[in-house]
Amino acid sequence: GGGGVGQDFVGFSPHIWPLPQEELEHLNQANEEINRVELQLDDARTAYRRILSESARKLNAQGSQLGNCIEKARPYYEARRLAKEAQQETQKAALRYERAVSMHNAAREMVFVAEQGVMADKNRLDPTWQEMLNHATCKVNEAEEERLRSEREHQRVTQLCQQAEAKVQALQKSLKRVIVKSKPYFELKAQFNQILEEHKAKVTALERLVSQAKTRYSVALRNLEQISEQIHARRLQRLIVRRASPVGAEASPQHAGSEVGGTGGTHLGTECPPGDTLSVLSLQTIASDLQKFDSVEHLLGLSDATSLNSEELEEREQRRGGQGHFKHHRSISL
């Protein structure tokens, strides 16, 4: 998006409808943030691609100098990576086990409290304590199952971690010469990986900000559209009431003249107070900015007299006297 969305809801009646200025500000703020953050996102993506390309080029040059010792040493580094992952899984399993033990202890405490309550209240036979005891007993059984399950899982991953560490130690002994020779390549690779991870995290964070700003933009846009539709429906309802009234029923004579006697067509300015007129003109501007297309669904079943198209009304005046009714071709455009 480029500039701000239309700022001219002048004459809007805040006592009848919510003031759209606040939604317009939300829309413009979200639009500005989208533009700003998307520029930062483009820069971050460009920087990531540049670093990735430079990393590949420098690693390739380093690999050419060192020769095939890199491929020979690769199984050792792969084993180290797997051992690190196994260690992380072991830590997660240990946390799950500790949590299960804590839940089991808490459930047992609940059983103890419930048993004390049952013993103290056994003469009155209060069912509340018995229900609490049953519930606490079920919790103990569930917690016990989880504790045993997490304990078995912790033992399993711990064994895998030990096996992975043993493999690392064995490869370190058998591949010691090529590991030392290829060390510059893998150290450089680790440095580039760290830099790339940092840039990738920045790209991800900016993508999230863009998504959030677009969501706020959509919400503000939808709110403005709802306000426009409310005013649209309200004006149509007022027109229906006026058209249904007998000629001359209006309190103001100038209103009656504009309704039935004018030859220049019906004008928006004579249909409602000046403030309301300005609001409709403003809504025409904002509707154009929001690229809101016309809809005729709300006009189904209404009489032709509800059309506000002045050209069609002029045509109707010319054909008055037996020419029959004409059908409007578009609805009121906000």
Side-chain angles (χ1 to χ4, degrees):
V5 182
Q7 300 285 332
D8 54 355
F9 272 85
V10 183
F12 200 94
S13 179
H15 303 293
I16 303 175
W17 303 104
L19 190 66
Q21 187 63 35
E22 184 177 347
E23 293 299 336
L24 281 170
E25 291 175 0
H26 292 164
L27 196 72
N28 285 324
Q29 289 171 1
N31 185 56
E32 291 171 2
E33 185 171 356
I34 290 170
N35 292 335
R36 176 177 56 81
V37 180
E38 280 187 339
L39 288 175
Q40 297 177 2
L41 180 58
D42 288 340
D43 292 341
R45 285 172 173 166
T46 300
Y48 179 84
R49 289 192 295 267
R50 176 176 51 79
I51 293 172
L52 183 62
S53 177
E54 291 178 358
S55 302
R57 180 175 54 81
K58 292 180 178 179
L59 284 173
N60 186 54
Q62 184 76 274
S64 299
Q65 293 177 4
L66 297 174
N68 61 0
C69 66
I70 295 172
E71 289 304 315
K72 290 181 179 179
R74 198 176 295 278
Y76 166 74
Y77 289 97
E78 179 67 11
R80 282 181 60 89
R81 184 183 66 81
L82 294 175
K84 184 177 180 181
E85 291 179 359
Q87 187 179 21
Q88 292 172 347
E89 286 299 318
T90 302
Q91 293 171 352
K92 292 178 183 178
L95 288 174
R96 286 194 294 268
Y97 175 70
E98 290 176 4
R99 206 158 37 233
V101 170
S102 177
M103 292 294 293
H104 183 251
N105 291 335
R108 291 177 63 184
E109 285 290 331
M110 188 185 298
V111 168
F112 177 77
V113 171
E115 287 176 341
Q116 295 297 314
V118 170
M119 293 294 293
D121 256 7
K122 62 182 179 180
N123 293 329
R124 291 192 299 167
L125 299 176
D126 187 351
T128 304
W129 284 112
Q130 187 61 49
E131 183 179 349
M132 180 179 176
L133 178 60
N134 294 337
H135 178 72
T137 303
C138 290
K139 286 294 183 182
V140 167
N141 294 335
E142 293 174 3
E144 175 68 12
E145 291 177 3
E146 175 61 24
R147 185 183 67 82
L148 293 174
R149 185 165 50 247
S150 60
E151 184 178 15
R152 289 192 297 267
E153 176 64 13
H154 180 256
Q155 291 173 350
R156 186 184 69 83
V157 295
T158 299
Q159 186 177 4
L160 291 176
C161 183
Q162 291 171 351
Q163 293 172 356
E165 286 291 344
K167 185 176 181 180
V168 169
Q169 296 299 324
L171 287 172
Q172 188 173 3
K173 289 181 180 179
S174 63
L175 299 176
K176 183 176 181 180
R177 188 177 62 84
V178 292
I179 290 173
V180 172
K181 188 176 180 182
S182 63
K183 184 179 178 182
Y185 174 89
F186 287 99
E187 285 182 340
L188 186 62
K189 181 176 180 290
Q191 292 175 9
F192 285 139
N193 283 341
Q194 180 66 27
I195 296 172
L196 286 169
E197 281 299 316
E198 293 172 358
H199 278 76
K200 185 178 180 180
K202 183 178 180 180
V203 169
T204 302
L206 289 171
E207 287 174 343
R208 185 165 55 251
L209 289 177
V210 169
S211 178
Q212 293 170 353
K214 287 183 176 180
T215 298
R216 290 197 300 274
Y217 184 92
S218 298
V219 170
L221 184 62
R222 187 162 57 249
N223 291 342
L224 282 169
E225 288 175 344
Q226 288 175 352
I227 294 172
S228 298
E229 289 166 1
Q230 288 172 344
I231 294 179
H232 197 67
R234 175 172 169 263
R235 287 189 52 78
L236 282 175
Q237 186 63 33
R238 293 178 61 183
L239 283 169
I240 293 171
V241 172
R242 285 178 180 250
R243 299 298 185 184
S245 300
V247 176
E250 309 296 343
S252 174
Q254 65 267 25
H255 284 172
S258 63
E259 290 283 323
V260 298
T263 58
T266 303
H267 298 285
L268 290 175
T270 62
E271 297 290 334
C272 55
D276 203 16
T277 303
L278 288 173
S279 73
V280 173
L281 295 176
S282 305
L283 284 169
Q284 290 175 341
T285 302
I286 189 61
S288 175
D289 289 337
L290 300 180
Q291 298 180 344
K292 178 173 170 57
F293 57 85
D294 288 344
S295 171
V296 296
E297 294 175 357
H298 52 273
L299 295 180
L300 293 179
L302 298 183
S303 66
D304 291 331
T306 59
S307 173
L308 292 187
N309 192 311
S310 60
E311 293 180 359
E312 291 177 357
L313 289 177
E314 290 175 359
E315 182 180 352
R316 182 176 178 181
E317 293 288 341
Q318 295 171 5
R319 299 201 309 197
R320 190 190 301 271
Q323 294 299 323
H325 296 289
F326 66 92
K327 190 174 184 179
H328 66 273
H329 299 290
R330 68 185 297 245
S331 66
I332 305 165
S333 174
L334 289 182

